[in-house]
Amino acid sequence: LSAIEAALVSAYKKDNQGAGLNVSVRLNPATGDMKVYSSKEVVEEIEDPHSQMTLEEAREYNPLAEIGTTVEFETEPKLGRIGAQTAKQVVMQRLREAERELVFEEYAHREGEVVSATVQRLEKGDIILDLGRAEAVLPRTEQVLTERYRPNQRLKVYILEVRRSLKGPEVVVSRTHRDLVRRLFELEIPEIFNGIVEINAIAREP
């Protein structure tokens, strides 16, 4: 909702109707109604009609207005073609950013966990995996030399790191990490998961 409101503000300011105005937009999520508000400073003598108004004008909206205060009032929402295109672009951009942030938050606290993934494709020696809501990369250095990976193959992988990149959140996984063995034991053996049996050390040549 806030992304759409911000997009409409950007569009309104770019449009001829709202150029130079200090505007805000409020949406009613229940009805879909949109209201546009403009605010101006109350001054004795107007220098900028876009951002200032006289005390007499201000008291039409707020009888308690005084010199130096800011008065907010509702304006007629009008958007032209360019403004509408701007709104659409900003909304889509904000929604993509919000989706990326949700994915990052979902996987950031899961470093050190084992998850199921599906092989999608090979990219410059790295394997790109599908985790469901996100993609993960299995770097060449984290691949087992004797394993062969093929599209749609299901794998258990260890989440090494979750980081932000220009393309969005990047989940780096491993098939060689020794803690992959520890997590698989915990998944398969209740006594290890419950702490009755402890793994003191792991040696692995993947």
Side-chain angles (χ1 to χ4, degrees):
L1 195 62
S2 62
I4 295 172
E5 288 174 345
L8 289 168
V9 167
S10 297
Y12 198 75
K13 285 184 175 180
K14 278 197 172 185
D15 208 74
N16 290 333
Q17 298 288 337
L21 295 178
N22 183 18
V23 297
S24 60
V25 173
R26 290 170 204 160
L27 288 174
N28 185 329
T31 63
D33 289 340
M34 177 184 80
K35 290 189 176 182
V36 179
Y37 294 90
S38 182
S39 59
K40 293 185 178 183
E41 185 185 0
V42 184
V43 295
E44 289 183 6
E45 189 174 336
I46 294 178
E47 296 177 1
D48 180 6
H50 287 304
S51 61
Q52 296 173 336
M53 63 168 48
T54 64
L55 183 60
E56 185 181 351
E57 291 173 326
R59 286 188 170 166
E60 292 179 13
Y61 302 104
N62 182 359
L64 300 177
E66 297 291 343
I67 299 292
T69 60
T70 300
V71 172
E72 186 179 69
F73 54 94
E74 189 175 348
T75 60
E76 186 68 27
K78 293 179 181 177
L79 282 180
R81 182 176 57 83
I82 294 175
Q85 288 176 341
T86 301
K88 180 181 177 182
Q89 290 169 357
V90 176
V91 167
M92 296 307 294
Q93 180 185 346
R94 295 291 176 91
L95 290 177
R96 280 193 294 269
E97 289 171 0
E99 178 68 17
R100 288 173 179 173
E101 191 60 29
L102 281 174
V103 171
F104 180 82
E105 293 295 332
E106 180 178 343
Y107 287 96
H109 69 281
R110 299 185 68 181
E111 289 183 4
E113 287 187 20
V114 168
V115 295
S116 294
T118 305
V119 176
Q120 277 193 328
R121 62 188 184 277
L122 181 68
E123 217 171 74
K124 297 179 181 178
D126 298 338
I127 307 295
I128 306 302
L129 306 170
D130 181 15
L131 297 177
R133 279 174 57 90
E135 283 188 349
V137 57
L138 178 63
R140 187 193 295 270
T141 54
E142 300 297 330
Q143 298 171 22
V144 178
L145 293 177
T146 56
E147 288 183 342
R148 294 292 174 265
Y149 305 105
R150 59 188 185 278
N152 299 320
Q153 180 182 0
R154 299 278 295 175
L155 297 173
K156 293 279 192 194
V157 291
Y158 179 85
I159 298 180
L160 267 183
E161 183 185 2
V162 182
R163 60 195 179 206
R164 287 184 170 93
S165 70
L166 293 176
K167 295 181 180 179
E170 187 175 59
V171 183
V172 182
V173 297
S174 172
R175 284 284 295 173
T176 62
H177 200 284
R178 64 181 182 180
D179 279 342
L180 173 65
V181 177
R182 183 188 299 274
R183 295 289 176 251
L184 290 175
F185 267 110
E186 290 174 356
L187 286 172
E188 300 294 334
I189 303 169
E191 290 82 359
I192 293 179
F193 180 79
N194 294 326
I196 298 169
V197 175
E198 293 182 4
I199 298 175
N200 289 324
I202 298 173
R204 185 182 182 211
E205 179 123 14

